[in-house]
Amino acid sequence: MNIRIGYGWDSHAFKPGVPLKIGGLAIDHPEGLAGHSDGDVLLHAITDALLGAVSAGDIGSFFPPGDPRWKNADSSIFLNLALEEIQNAGYRIVNIDTTLVLAAPKIGPLAADLRERVADLLDVEPSNVGIKAKSPEGLNLDHVAQAHAVVLLEKVENPEELRSMSDVIESQKQLEDVVKDLVSQVHGVEPRRVLKPVFDTEDIT
């Protein structure tokens, strides 16, 4: 099959005293999203959509919420893992469409910046990223943020066209080694040589 579709969904409650991060973008707001990691509901949904498209499980399969290594972790780490998975399966992203459901903050004024940031993380053109928002009117969910994501992938016939998608997050080379070790474990291949991390795995931020 040359085309695959993936769907992802996630939700997090708002919590005072934590920073708000959506789509890899820091947003000025009185409350952030509660979660074991940084609570980035949009990146979590996109990650699950990518993993689901290539039948690679879900975000919890790779990053259990009880694992202290992922406490306060940047959700771009999870997204990077999903990009590695679709590359290993021989696919690339055609386009992605997302919908945020939340009462505040208003996403309209932020949509262009969110689109640029998500496109950068996925290494696609902004025109291939859809960012929409809806109010949870009548759902009694004013203190919750939800995200839906749908992704379309296409098979890459020439393997040379696939470059390592881990290059997208250039500032997290040590974390990429963690991601690739996880991939090797899942696929039952010999794991990479373990490097001593230069960061505290108990507090990845």
Side-chain angles (χ1 to χ4, degrees):
M1 182 179 295
N2 294 327
I3 296 293
R4 289 200 173 207
I5 296 172
Y7 168 74
W9 173 87
D10 194 34
S11 69
H12 288 287
F14 281 95
K15 178 182 179 180
V18 298
L20 177 60
K21 203 169 186 182
I22 296 177
L25 194 68
I27 298 173
D28 185 17
H29 192 66
E31 297 180 312
L33 292 171
H36 185 66
S37 64
D38 62 5
D40 193 325
V41 67
L42 183 58
L43 292 192
H44 293 178
I46 294 173
T47 297
D48 268 350
L50 292 168
L51 291 173
V54 292
S55 303
D58 62 16
I59 196 170
S61 303
F62 294 94
F63 305 100
D67 191 328
R69 288 181 298 170
W70 316 124
K71 178 66 175 177
N72 298 324
D74 188 324
S75 291
S76 61
I77 301 167
F78 311 153
L79 188 64
N80 198 36
L81 179 279
L83 292 173
E84 290 284 353
E85 283 293 297
I86 67 169
Q87 180 195 9
N88 288 340
Y91 285 84
R92 64 183 169 199
I93 298 169
V94 177
N95 75 296
I96 187 163
D97 189 28
T98 67
T99 301
L100 287 160
V101 183
L102 70 173
K106 296 300 180 183
I107 298 300
L110 305 170
D113 289 339
L114 282 170
R115 185 178 298 108
E116 291 279 350
R117 179 59 178 153
V118 170
D120 184 54
L121 289 171
L122 296 176
D123 195 31
V124 299
E125 293 297 321
S127 59
N128 293 328
V129 176
I131 302 286
K132 308 183 302 298
K134 301 292 182 182
S135 169
E137 185 177 354
L139 298 178
N140 195 28
L141 293 173
D142 287 355
H143 297 289
V144 175
Q146 300 181 61
H148 302 260
V150 179
V151 63
L152 178 66
L153 306 181
E154 66 177 355
K155 190 75 172 180
V156 178
E157 300 300 334
N158 182 5
E160 293 182 359
E161 293 182 28
L162 281 173
R163 70 178 184 84
S164 176
M165 295 180 183
S166 62
D167 292 339
V168 173
I169 306 176
E170 306 225 349
S171 64
Q172 305 199 30
K173 301 305 291 181
Q174 293 290 336
L175 294 174
E176 287 167 16
D177 287 333
V178 174
V179 166
K180 290 173 183 175
D181 284 337
L182 286 167
V183 172
S184 68
Q185 293 169 26
V186 169
H187 292 289
V189 298
E190 184 177 350
R192 295 161 54 96
R193 180 172 60 90
V194 177
L195 300 177
K196 183 177 180 180
V198 298
F199 52 83
D200 182 359
T201 56
E202 294 296 320
D203 185 25
I204 302 176
T205 55

